[in-house]
Coordinates of all heavy atoms in Angstrom, one line a residue:
M142 N -5.4 -84.7 -129.3 CA -4.7 -85.9 -128.9 C -4.1 -85.6 -127.5 O -3.4 -84.5 -127.3 CB -3.6 -86.1 -129.9 CG -2.8 -87.4 -129.6 SD -1.7 -87.7 -131.0 CE -0.8 -89.0 -130.3
A143 N -4.3 -86.4 -126.5 CA -3.9 -86.3 -125.2 C -2.4 -86.5 -125.1 O -1.7 -87.2 -125.8 CB -4.7 -87.2 -124.3
L144 N -1.8 -85.7 -124.2 CA -0.4 -85.9 -123.9 C -0.1 -87.3 -123.3 O -0.9 -87.9 -122.5 CB 0.2 -84.9 -123.0 CG 0.2 -83.5 -123.6 CD1 0.6 -82.5 -122.5 CD2 1.1 -83.3 -124.8
L145 N 1.1 -87.9 -123.6 CA 1.5 -89.1 -122.8 C 1.6 -88.8 -121.4 O 2.0 -87.7 -120.9 CB 2.9 -89.5 -123.3 CG 3.0 -90.0 -124.8 CD1 4.4 -90.2 -125.2 CD2 2.1 -91.2 -125.1
Q146 N 1.2 -89.8 -120.5 CA 1.3 -89.7 -119.1 C 2.7 -89.3 -118.6 O 2.8 -88.4 -117.7 CB 0.8 -91.0 -118.4 CG 0.7 -90.8 -116.9 CD -0.3 -89.7 -116.6 OE1 -1.4 -89.7 -117.0 NE2 0.0 -88.9 -115.6
A147 N 3.7 -89.8 -119.2 CA 5.1 -89.5 -118.8 C 5.3 -88.0 -119.0 O 6.0 -87.4 -118.1 CB 6.1 -90.3 -119.7
N148 N 4.9 -87.4 -120.1 CA 5.0 -86.0 -120.3 C 4.2 -85.1 -119.4 O 4.6 -84.1 -118.9 CB 4.8 -85.7 -121.8 CG 5.8 -86.3 -122.7 OD1 6.8 -86.7 -122.3 ND2 5.5 -86.3 -124.0
K149 N 3.0 -85.7 -119.1 CA 2.1 -84.9 -118.1 C 2.8 -84.9 -116.8 O 2.8 -83.9 -116.0 CB 0.8 -85.6 -118.0 CG -0.1 -85.4 -119.1 CD -1.4 -86.3 -118.8 CE -2.4 -86.2 -120.1 NZ -3.7 -86.9 -119.8
D150 N 3.4 -86.1 -116.4 CA 4.2 -86.1 -115.1 C 5.4 -85.1 -115.1 O 5.7 -84.5 -114.1 CB 4.6 -87.5 -114.8 CG 3.6 -88.5 -114.6 OD1 2.4 -88.1 -114.3 OD2 3.7 -89.7 -114.7
L151 N 6.1 -85.0 -116.2 CA 7.2 -84.1 -116.3 C 6.7 -82.7 -116.2 O 7.4 -81.8 -115.6 CB 8.0 -84.3 -117.6 CG 8.9 -85.6 -117.7 CD1 9.4 -85.8 -119.1 CD2 10.0 -85.5 -116.7
I152 N 5.7 -82.4 -116.9 CA 5.1 -81.0 -116.8 C 4.7 -80.6 -115.3 O 5.0 -79.5 -114.8 CB 3.9 -80.9 -117.7 CG1 4.3 -80.9 -119.2 CG2 3.1 -79.6 -117.4 CD1 3.1 -81.1 -120.2
S153 N 4.1 -81.6 -114.7 CA 3.7 -81.4 -113.3 C 5.0 -81.1 -112.4 O 5.0 -80.3 -111.6 CB 3.0 -82.6 -112.8 OG 2.6 -82.4 -111.4
T154 N 6.0 -82.0 -112.7 CA 7.3 -81.8 -111.9 C 7.9 -80.4 -112.2 O 8.4 -79.8 -111.3 CB 8.2 -82.9 -112.3 OG1 7.6 -84.2 -111.9 CG2 9.5 -82.8 -111.5
G155 N 8.0 -80.1 -113.5 CA 8.6 -78.8 -113.9 C 7.8 -77.6 -113.2 O 8.5 -76.7 -112.8
M156 N 6.5 -77.8 -113.2 CA 5.7 -76.7 -112.6 C 6.0 -76.6 -111.1 O 6.2 -75.4 -110.5 CB 4.2 -76.9 -112.7 CG 3.8 -76.8 -114.2 SD 2.1 -77.2 -114.5 CE 1.2 -76.2 -113.4
R157 N 6.1 -77.7 -110.4 CA 6.4 -77.6 -108.9 C 7.7 -77.1 -108.7 O 8.0 -76.2 -107.8 CB 6.3 -79.1 -108.4 CG 5.0 -79.5 -108.0 CD 5.0 -80.7 -107.0 NE 5.8 -81.9 -107.6 CZ 5.5 -82.8 -108.4 NH1 4.3 -82.7 -109.0 NH2 6.3 -83.7 -108.9
E158 N 8.7 -77.5 -109.5 CA 10.1 -77.0 -109.3 C 10.2 -75.5 -109.6 O 10.9 -74.7 -108.9 CB 11.1 -77.8 -110.2 CG 11.2 -79.2 -109.8 CD 12.1 -80.1 -110.7 OE1 12.5 -79.6 -111.8 OE2 12.4 -81.1 -110.4
F159 N 9.6 -75.1 -110.7 CA 9.6 -73.7 -111.0 C 8.9 -72.8 -110.0 O 9.4 -71.7 -109.6 CB 8.9 -73.5 -112.4 CG 9.1 -72.1 -113.0 CD1 10.2 -71.7 -113.6 CD2 8.0 -71.2 -113.0 CE1 10.4 -70.5 -114.1 CE2 8.1 -70.0 -113.6 CZ 9.4 -69.5 -114.1
N160 N 7.8 -73.3 -109.5 CA 7.1 -72.6 -108.4 C 8.0 -72.4 -107.2 O 8.0 -71.4 -106.5 CB 5.7 -73.3 -108.1 CG 4.8 -72.3 -107.4 OD1 4.7 -71.2 -107.8 ND2 4.1 -72.8 -106.4
A161 N 8.7 -73.5 -106.8 CA 9.6 -73.4 -105.7 C 10.7 -72.4 -106.0 O 11.1 -71.7 -105.1 CB 10.3 -74.8 -105.5
L162 N 11.2 -72.4 -107.2 CA 12.3 -71.3 -107.6 C 11.7 -70.0 -107.2 O 12.3 -69.1 -106.7 CB 12.6 -71.6 -109.0 CG 13.6 -70.4 -109.6 CD1 14.9 -70.5 -108.9 CD2 13.6 -70.6 -111.1
L163 N 10.4 -69.7 -107.8 CA 9.9 -68.4 -107.7 C 9.7 -68.1 -106.2 O 9.9 -66.9 -105.8 CB 8.6 -68.4 -108.4 CG 8.6 -68.4 -109.9 CD1 7.3 -68.4 -110.5 CD2 9.5 -67.3 -110.5
N164 N 9.2 -69.0 -105.3 CA 8.9 -68.8 -104.0 C 10.3 -68.5 -103.2 O 10.2 -68.0 -102.1 CB 8.2 -70.0 -103.4 CG 6.8 -70.0 -103.9 OD1 6.3 -68.9 -104.3 ND2 6.2 -71.1 -103.9
Q165 N 11.4 -69.0 -103.7 CA 12.7 -68.8 -103.0 C 13.3 -67.4 -103.2 O 14.2 -67.1 -102.5 CB 13.7 -69.8 -103.5 CG 13.4 -71.2 -103.0 CD 14.3 -72.2 -103.7 OE1 15.3 -71.8 -104.4 NE2 14.1 -73.5 -103.5
Q166 N 12.7 -66.7 -104.1 CA 13.3 -65.4 -104.5 C 13.1 -64.3 -103.3 O 12.0 -64.2 -102.8 CB 12.7 -64.9 -105.7 CG 13.0 -65.8 -106.9 CD 14.5 -66.2 -107.0 OE1 15.4 -65.4 -107.0 NE2 14.6 -67.6 -107.1
V167 N 14.1 -63.7 -102.9 CA 14.1 -62.5 -102.1 C 14.4 -61.3 -102.7 O 15.5 -61.2 -103.3 CB 15.2 -62.9 -100.9 CG1 15.1 -61.7 -99.9 CG2 14.8 -64.2 -100.2
F168 N 13.5 -60.3 -102.6 CA 13.8 -59.1 -103.3 C 14.7 -58.2 -102.4 O 14.4 -58.1 -101.2 CB 12.5 -58.3 -103.4 CG 11.4 -59.1 -104.2 CD1 10.1 -59.0 -103.9 CD2 11.8 -60.0 -105.2 CE1 9.2 -59.6 -104.6 CE2 10.8 -60.7 -106.0 CZ 9.5 -60.6 -105.7
S169 N 15.8 -57.8 -103.0 CA 16.8 -57.1 -102.3 C 17.0 -55.7 -102.7 O 16.5 -55.3 -103.8 CB 18.1 -57.9 -102.3 OG 18.6 -58.0 -103.6
D170 N 17.8 -55.0 -102.0 CA 18.2 -53.6 -102.4 C 19.6 -53.6 -102.7 O 20.4 -54.2 -101.9 CB 17.9 -52.7 -101.1 CG 17.8 -51.3 -101.5 OD1 17.6 -51.0 -102.7 OD2 18.0 -50.4 -100.6
P171 N 20.1 -53.2 -103.8 CA 19.2 -52.4 -104.7 C 18.5 -53.4 -105.7 O 19.0 -54.4 -106.0 CB 20.4 -51.6 -105.5 CG 21.6 -52.4 -105.4 CD 21.5 -53.1 -104.1
P172 N 17.3 -53.0 -106.0 CA 16.5 -53.8 -106.9 C 16.9 -53.7 -108.4 O 17.6 -52.8 -108.8 CB 15.1 -53.3 -106.7 CG 15.3 -51.8 -106.5 CD 16.6 -51.7 -105.7
V173 N 16.6 -54.8 -109.2 CA 16.8 -54.7 -110.5 C 15.5 -54.0 -111.1 O 14.5 -54.1 -110.5 CB 17.1 -56.0 -111.2 CG1 18.3 -56.7 -110.6 CG2 16.0 -57.1 -111.0
S174 N 15.6 -53.6 -112.3 CA 14.4 -52.9 -112.9 C 13.4 -54.1 -113.2 O 13.6 -55.2 -113.4 CB 14.9 -52.2 -114.3 OG 15.2 -53.2 -115.2
E175 N 12.2 -53.5 -113.6 CA 11.1 -54.5 -113.8 C 11.5 -55.2 -115.2 O 11.2 -56.4 -115.3 CB 9.7 -53.7 -114.0 CG 8.7 -54.6 -114.5 CD 7.3 -53.7 -114.6 OE1 7.3 -52.6 -114.2 OE2 6.4 -54.3 -115.2
E176 N 12.0 -54.5 -116.2 CA 12.3 -55.1 -117.4 C 13.4 -56.1 -117.2 O 13.4 -57.3 -117.9 CB 12.8 -54.0 -118.3 CG 11.8 -53.0 -118.8 CD 11.5 -52.0 -117.7 OE1 12.4 -51.7 -116.8 OE2 10.5 -51.3 -117.8
A177 N 14.4 -55.8 -116.3 CA 15.4 -56.8 -116.0 C 14.8 -58.1 -115.4 O 15.2 -59.2 -115.8 CB 16.5 -56.3 -115.2
M178 N 13.9 -57.9 -114.5 CA 13.3 -59.1 -113.8 C 12.5 -59.9 -114.8 O 12.5 -61.1 -114.8 CB 12.4 -58.6 -112.7 CG 11.8 -59.8 -111.9 SD 13.1 -61.0 -111.2 CE 13.7 -60.1 -109.8
M179 N 11.8 -59.2 -115.8 CA 11.1 -59.9 -116.7 C 12.0 -60.7 -117.6 O 11.7 -61.9 -118.0 CB 10.2 -59.0 -117.6 CG 9.1 -58.3 -116.9 SD 8.3 -57.0 -117.7 CE 7.4 -57.9 -119.0
T180 N 13.2 -60.2 -117.9 CA 14.1 -60.9 -118.7 C 14.7 -62.1 -117.9 O 14.8 -63.3 -118.4 CB 15.4 -60.0 -119.1 OG1 14.8 -59.0 -119.9 CG2 16.4 -60.8 -119.9
I181 N 15.0 -61.9 -116.7 CA 15.5 -63.1 -115.8 C 14.4 -64.2 -115.8 O 14.8 -65.4 -115.9 CB 15.7 -62.5 -114.3 CG1 16.9 -61.6 -114.3 CG2 15.9 -63.7 -113.4 CD1 17.1 -60.8 -113.1
V182 N 13.1 -63.8 -115.5 CA 12.1 -64.9 -115.5 C 12.0 -65.6 -116.9 O 11.8 -66.8 -116.9 CB 10.7 -64.3 -115.0 CG1 9.6 -65.3 -115.3 CG2 10.9 -63.7 -113.6
D183 N 12.1 -64.8 -118.0 CA 12.1 -65.5 -119.3 C 13.2 -66.4 -119.5 O 13.1 -67.5 -120.0 CB 12.1 -64.3 -120.4 CG 11.8 -64.9 -121.7 OD1 10.8 -65.6 -121.9 OD2 12.5 -64.6 -122.6
D184 N 14.3 -66.0 -118.9 CA 15.6 -66.9 -119.0 C 15.3 -68.1 -118.2 O 15.7 -69.3 -118.6 CB 16.8 -66.2 -118.5 CG 17.3 -65.2 -119.5 OD1 16.9 -65.1 -120.7 OD2 18.2 -64.3 -119.1
W185 N 14.7 -68.0 -117.0 CA 14.4 -69.2 -116.2 C 13.4 -70.2 -116.9 O 13.6 -71.4 -117.0 CB 13.7 -68.8 -114.9 CG 14.7 -68.2 -113.9 CD1 16.0 -68.2 -113.9 CD2 14.2 -67.3 -112.9 NE1 16.5 -67.5 -112.9 CE2 15.4 -66.9 -112.1 CE3 13.0 -66.9 -112.4 CZ2 15.4 -66.1 -111.1 CZ3 13.1 -66.1 -111.2 CH2 14.2 -65.7 -110.6
V186 N 12.4 -69.6 -117.6 CA 11.5 -70.4 -118.4 C 12.2 -71.2 -119.5 O 12.1 -72.3 -119.6 CB 10.4 -69.5 -119.0 CG1 9.5 -70.3 -120.0 CG2 9.5 -69.0 -117.8
N187 N 13.1 -70.4 -120.2 CA 13.8 -71.0 -121.3 C 14.7 -72.2 -120.7 O 14.9 -73.2 -121.4 CB 14.6 -70.0 -122.1 CG 13.7 -69.1 -122.9 OD1 12.6 -69.5 -123.4 ND2 14.2 -67.9 -123.1
F188 N 15.4 -71.9 -119.6 CA 16.3 -73.0 -118.9 C 15.5 -74.1 -118.7 O 15.9 -75.3 -118.9 CB 16.9 -72.4 -117.7 CG 17.7 -73.4 -117.0 CD1 18.9 -73.7 -117.3 CD2 17.1 -74.0 -115.8 CE1 19.6 -74.7 -116.7 CE2 17.8 -75.0 -115.1 CZ 19.1 -75.3 -115.5
Y189 N 14.2 -74.0 -118.0 CA 13.4 -75.2 -117.7 C 13.0 -75.9 -119.0 O 13.0 -77.1 -119.1 CB 12.2 -74.8 -116.9 CG 12.4 -74.7 -115.4 CD1 13.2 -73.8 -114.8 CD2 11.9 -75.7 -114.6 CE1 13.5 -73.7 -113.6 CE2 12.2 -75.6 -113.3 CZ 13.0 -74.7 -112.7 OH 13.3 -74.7 -111.4
I190 N 12.6 -75.2 -120.1 CA 12.3 -75.8 -121.4 C 13.4 -76.6 -121.9 O 13.3 -77.8 -122.4 CB 11.8 -74.7 -122.3 CG1 10.4 -74.1 -121.8 CG2 11.5 -75.4 -123.7 CD1 9.3 -75.1 -121.6
S191 N 14.6 -76.0 -121.9 CA 15.7 -76.7 -122.4 C 16.0 -78.0 -121.6 O 16.3 -79.1 -122.2 CB 17.0 -75.7 -122.3 OG 18.1 -76.4 -122.8
Y192 N 15.9 -77.9 -120.3 CA 16.2 -79.0 -119.5 C 15.2 -80.1 -119.8 O 15.5 -81.4 -119.9 CB 16.1 -78.6 -118.0 CG 16.2 -79.8 -117.0 CD1 17.5 -80.3 -116.8 CD2 15.1 -80.4 -116.3 CE1 17.7 -81.4 -115.9 CE2 15.2 -81.5 -115.5 CZ 16.5 -81.9 -115.3 OH 16.6 -83.0 -114.4
Y193 N 13.9 -79.8 -119.8 CA 12.9 -80.8 -119.9 C 12.7 -81.3 -121.3 O 12.2 -82.3 -121.5 CB 11.5 -80.3 -119.4 CG 11.5 -80.5 -117.9 CD1 11.7 -79.3 -117.1 CD2 11.3 -81.6 -117.3 CE1 11.6 -79.4 -115.7 CE2 11.2 -81.7 -115.8 CZ 11.5 -80.7 -115.1 OH 11.5 -80.8 -113.7
R194 N 13.2 -80.6 -122.4 CA 13.2 -81.0 -123.7 C 13.9 -82.3 -123.9 O 13.4 -83.2 -124.6 CB 14.0 -80.0 -124.6 CG 14.0 -80.5 -126.0 CD 14.6 -79.4 -127.0 NE 13.6 -78.4 -127.2 CZ 13.6 -77.1 -126.9 NH1 14.6 -76.6 -126.4 NH2 12.5 -76.3 -127.2
Q195 N 15.0 -82.6 -123.1 CA 15.7 -83.8 -123.2 C 15.0 -85.0 -122.6 O 15.4 -86.0 -122.8 CB 17.2 -83.6 -122.5 CG 17.9 -82.4 -123.1 CD 19.0 -82.1 -122.2 OE1 19.4 -82.8 -121.3 NE2 19.7 -81.0 -122.4
Q196 N 14.0 -84.6 -121.8 CA 13.3 -85.8 -121.0 C 12.0 -86.2 -121.6 O 11.4 -87.2 -121.1 CB 13.2 -85.4 -119.6 CG 14.5 -85.1 -118.9 CD 14.3 -84.7 -117.4 OE1 13.6 -85.4 -116.8 NE2 15.1 -83.7 -117.0
M197 N 11.4 -85.3 -122.5 CA 10.1 -85.6 -123.1 C 10.1 -86.9 -123.9 O 11.1 -87.1 -124.5 CB 9.6 -84.4 -123.8 CG 9.2 -83.2 -123.0 SD 7.9 -83.5 -121.9 CE 7.9 -81.8 -121.0
A198 N 8.9 -87.6 -123.8 CA 8.9 -88.9 -124.6 C 7.9 -88.7 -125.8 O 7.2 -87.8 -125.9 CB 8.3 -90.0 -123.6
G199 N 8.0 -89.6 -126.6 CA 7.1 -89.7 -127.8 C 7.6 -89.2 -129.0 O 8.8 -88.9 -129.1
A200 N 6.8 -89.1 -130.1 CA 7.3 -88.6 -131.3 C 7.4 -87.0 -131.2 O 7.2 -86.5 -130.2 CB 6.2 -88.9 -132.4
Q201 N 8.2 -86.5 -132.2 CA 8.6 -85.1 -132.1 C 7.3 -84.1 -131.9 O 7.4 -83.2 -131.2 CB 9.3 -84.7 -133.4 CG 9.8 -83.3 -133.3 CD 10.9 -83.1 -132.3 OE1 11.8 -84.0 -132.2 NE2 10.8 -82.1 -131.5
E202 N 6.3 -84.4 -132.6 CA 5.0 -83.6 -132.4 C 4.5 -83.6 -131.0 O 4.2 -82.7 -130.4 CB 3.9 -84.1 -133.4 CG 2.7 -83.3 -133.3 CD 1.6 -83.7 -134.3 OE1 2.0 -84.0 -135.4 OE2 0.5 -83.9 -133.9
E203 N 4.6 -84.9 -130.4 CA 4.1 -85.1 -128.9 C 5.0 -84.3 -128.0 O 4.6 -83.6 -127.1 CB 4.2 -86.5 -128.6 CG 4.1 -86.9 -127.1 CD 2.8 -86.6 -126.5 OE1 1.8 -86.5 -127.1 OE2 2.8 -86.4 -125.2
R204 N 6.3 -84.4 -128.2 CA 7.3 -83.6 -127.3 C 7.1 -82.1 -127.6 O 7.1 -81.4 -126.5 CB 8.7 -84.0 -127.7 CG 9.0 -85.5 -127.4 CD 10.5 -85.8 -127.5 NE 11.1 -85.5 -128.7 CZ 11.3 -86.3 -129.7 NH1 10.9 -87.5 -129.6 NH2 12.0 -85.8 -130.8
D205 N 6.9 -81.6 -128.8 CA 6.7 -80.2 -129.0 C 5.4 -79.7 -128.3 O 5.4 -78.7 -127.6 CB 6.6 -79.9 -130.5 CG 7.9 -80.1 -131.2 OD1 9.0 -80.2 -130.6 OD2 7.9 -80.2 -132.5
R206 N 4.3 -80.5 -128.4 CA 3.2 -80.1 -127.7 C 3.3 -80.1 -126.2 O 2.8 -79.2 -125.4 CB 2.0 -81.0 -128.1 CG 1.4 -80.7 -129.4 CD 0.2 -81.5 -129.8 NE -0.6 -82.2 -128.8 CZ -0.6 -83.5 -128.5 NH1 0.1 -84.4 -129.3 NH2 -1.3 -84.0 -127.5
A207 N 4.0 -81.0 -125.6 CA 4.3 -81.1 -124.2 C 5.0 -79.9 -123.8 O 4.9 -79.3 -122.8 CB 4.9 -82.4 -123.9
L208 N 6.1 -79.6 -124.6 CA 7.0 -78.4 -124.2 C 6.2 -77.2 -124.3 O 6.4 -76.3 -123.5 CB 8.2 -78.5 -125.1 CG 9.2 -79.6 -124.8 CD1 10.3 -79.6 -125.9 CD2 9.9 -79.3 -123.5
E209 N 5.3 -77.0 -125.3 CA 4.6 -75.8 -125.3 C 3.6 -75.7 -124.2 O 3.4 -74.6 -123.6 CB 3.7 -75.8 -126.6 CG 3.0 -74.5 -126.9 CD 3.9 -73.2 -126.8 OE1 5.0 -73.2 -127.2 OE2 3.3 -72.2 -126.3
E210 N 3.0 -76.8 -123.8 CA 2.2 -76.8 -122.5 C 3.0 -76.4 -121.3 O 2.5 -75.6 -120.5 CB 1.5 -78.1 -122.4 CG 0.5 -78.1 -121.2 CD -0.4 -79.3 -121.0 OE1 -0.8 -79.9 -122.1 OE2 -0.6 -79.7 -119.9
L211 N 4.1 -77.0 -121.2 CA 5.0 -76.6 -120.1 C 5.3 -75.1 -120.1 O 5.2 -74.5 -119.1 CB 6.3 -77.4 -120.1 CG 7.3 -77.1 -119.0 CD1 6.7 -77.3 -117.5 CD2 8.6 -78.0 -119.1
R212 N 5.6 -74.6 -121.3 CA 6.0 -73.2 -121.4 C 4.8 -72.3 -121.0 O 5.1 -71.4 -120.2 CB 6.5 -72.8 -122.8 CG 6.7 -71.4 -123.0 CD 7.2 -71.0 -124.4 NE 8.4 -71.8 -124.9 CZ 9.6 -71.4 -124.5 NH1 9.7 -70.4 -123.8 NH2 10.6 -72.1 -125.0
Q213 N 3.7 -72.7 -121.4 CA 2.5 -71.8 -121.0 C 2.2 -71.9 -119.5 O 1.8 -70.9 -118.9 CB 1.3 -72.3 -121.7 CG 1.3 -72.0 -123.3 CD 1.5 -70.5 -123.5 OE1 0.9 -69.7 -122.9 NE2 2.4 -70.1 -124.4
E214 N 2.4 -73.1 -118.9 CA 2.2 -73.2 -117.5 C 3.2 -72.4 -116.7 O 2.9 -71.8 -115.8 CB 2.2 -74.7 -117.1 CG 1.1 -75.5 -117.6 CD -0.3 -75.2 -117.0 OE1 -0.3 -74.4 -116.0 OE2 -1.2 -75.8 -117.5
L215 N 4.5 -72.4 -117.1 CA 5.5 -71.6 -116.5 C 5.3 -70.2 -116.6 O 5.4 -69.4 -115.6 CB 6.9 -72.1 -116.9 CG 7.4 -73.6 -116.8 CD1 8.8 -73.7 -117.3 CD2 7.2 -74.0 -115.3
I216 N 4.8 -69.8 -117.8 CA 4.5 -68.3 -117.9 C 3.4 -67.9 -117.0 O 3.4 -66.9 -116.3 CB 4.3 -68.1 -119.3 CG1 5.5 -68.1 -120.2 CG2 3.5 -66.7 -119.5 CD1 5.3 -68.1 -121.7
T217 N 2.4 -68.8 -116.9 CA 1.2 -68.6 -116.0 C 1.7 -68.4 -114.6 O 1.2 -67.5 -113.8 CB 0.2 -69.7 -116.2 OG1 -0.3 -69.6 -117.6 CG2 -1.0 -69.5 -115.2
L218 N 2.6 -69.3 -114.1 CA 3.1 -69.3 -112.8 C 3.9 -68.0 -112.5 O 3.9 -67.5 -111.4 CB 4.0 -70.5 -112.4 CG 3.2 -71.8 -112.3 CD1 4.3 -72.9 -112.2 CD2 2.4 -71.8 -111.1
S219 N 4.5 -67.5 -113.6 CA 5.4 -66.3 -113.3 C 4.6 -65.1 -113.2 O 5.1 -64.0 -112.7 CB 6.4 -66.2 -114.5 OG 5.7 -65.8 -115.7
V220 N 3.3 -65.0 -113.7 CA 2.5 -63.7 -113.6 C 2.4 -63.2 -112.2 O 2.7 -62.1 -111.9 CB 1.1 -63.9 -114.3 CG1 0.2 -62.8 -114.1 CG2 1.5 -64.2 -115.8
P221 N 1.9 -64.0 -111.3 CA 1.8 -63.5 -109.8 C 3.2 -63.1 -109.3 O 3.3 -62.1 -108.5 CB 1.2 -64.7 -109.0 CG 0.7 -65.6 -110.0 CD 1.4 -65.4 -111.3
F222 N 4.2 -63.8 -109.6 CA 5.6 -63.4 -109.1 C 6.0 -62.0 -109.7 O 6.4 -61.2 -108.9 CB 6.6 -64.5 -109.6 CG 8.0 -64.0 -109.4 CD1 8.5 -64.2 -108.1 CD2 8.8 -63.5 -110.3 CE1 9.8 -63.8 -107.8 CE2 10.1 -63.1 -110.1 CZ 10.6 -63.3 -108.8
L223 N 5.7 -61.8 -110.9 CA 6.1 -60.5 -111.5 C 5.2 -59.4 -111.0 O 5.6 -58.3 -110.8 CB 6.0 -60.5 -113.0 CG 7.1 -61.4 -113.7 CD1 6.8 -61.6 -115.2 CD2 8.5 -60.8 -113.5
D224 N 3.9 -59.7 -110.7 CA 3.0 -58.7 -110.0 C 3.6 -58.3 -108.7 O 3.6 -57.2 -108.3 CB 1.6 -59.3 -110.0 CG 0.9 -59.4 -111.3 OD1 1.3 -58.8 -112.3 OD2 -0.1 -60.1 -111.3
K225 N 4.0 -59.4 -108.0 CA 4.5 -59.1 -106.6 C 5.8 -58.3 -106.7 O 6.0 -57.4 -105.9 CB 4.8 -60.5 -106.0 CG 5.4 -60.4 -104.5 CD 5.5 -61.9 -104.1 CE 6.3 -61.9 -102.7 NZ 6.7 -63.3 -102.3
Y226 N 6.6 -58.6 -107.7 CA 7.9 -57.8 -107.9 C 7.5 -56.3 -108.2 O 8.2 -55.4 -107.7 CB 8.7 -58.4 -109.0 CG 10.1 -57.8 -108.9 CD1 11.0 -58.0 -107.9 CD2 10.5 -56.8 -109.8 CE1 12.3 -57.4 -107.9 CE2 11.8 -56.2 -109.8 CZ 12.7 -56.6 -108.9 OH 13.9 -55.9 -108.8
R227 N 6.5 -56.1 -109.1 CA 6.1 -54.7 -109.4 C 5.7 -54.0 -108.1 O 6.0 -52.9 -108.0 CB 5.0 -54.8 -110.5 CG 5.5 -55.1 -111.8 CD 4.3 -54.9 -112.9 NE 4.7 -55.7 -114.0 CZ 4.4 -56.9 -114.3 NH1 3.6 -57.7 -113.5 NH2 4.8 -57.5 -115.5
A228 N 4.9 -54.7 -107.4 CA 4.4 -54.0 -106.1 C 5.6 -53.7 -105.1 O 5.6 -52.6 -104.5 CB 3.5 -55.0 -105.3
F229 N 6.6 -54.7 -105.1 CA 7.8 -54.4 -104.4 C 8.5 -53.1 -104.9 O 8.9 -52.2 -104.1 CB 8.7 -55.5 -104.5 CG 10.2 -55.3 -104.0 CD1 10.5 -55.1 -102.7 CD2 11.2 -55.1 -105.0 CE1 11.8 -54.8 -102.3 CE2 12.5 -54.9 -104.5 CZ 12.7 -54.7 -103.2
L230 N 8.6 -53.0 -106.2 CA 9.3 -51.8 -106.8 C 8.5 -50.5 -106.5 O 9.1 -49.5 -106.2 CB 9.4 -52.0 -108.2 CG 10.5 -53.0 -108.8 CD1 10.4 -53.0 -110.3 CD2 11.9 -52.7 -108.3
K231 N 7.2 -50.7 -106.5 CA 6.4 -49.5 -106.2 C 6.5 -49.0 -104.7 O 6.3 -47.8 -104.4 CB 4.9 -49.7 -106.6 CG 4.7 -49.7 -108.1 CD 3.3 -49.9 -108.5 CE 3.1 -50.0 -110.0 NZ 1.8 -50.3 -110.4
S232 N 6.8 -50.0 -103.8 CA 6.8 -49.7 -102.5 C 8.2 -49.0 -102.0 O 8.2 -48.5 -100.9 CB 6.7 -51.0 -101.6 OG 7.9 -51.7 -101.7
L233 N 9.1 -48.9 -103.0 CA 10.4 -48.3 -102.6 C 10.3 -46.8 -102.7 O 9.6 -46.2 -103.4 CB 11.4 -48.8 -103.6 CG 11.7 -50.3 -103.7 CD1 12.7 -50.7 -104.6 CD2 12.2 -50.7 -102.2

């Protein structure tokens, strides 16, 4: 079953906003550990899911599927960011 267009639009918006958040990050000294950064990114994902949960449309099953898709997309977006952070840590 396809997602409602309104939910697809919200997923797209959430992905753009999350990507902008990741792109704004400046790695500073002293750095946080890799584990701490993974926790931070996980917290950001949970924050976005919580925010968009209130805006999703449709029956509960539809909203749940849309939120799961959003979660997967945000996690996918975070992988290159975490790879970049690992490279930053190794360069120190």
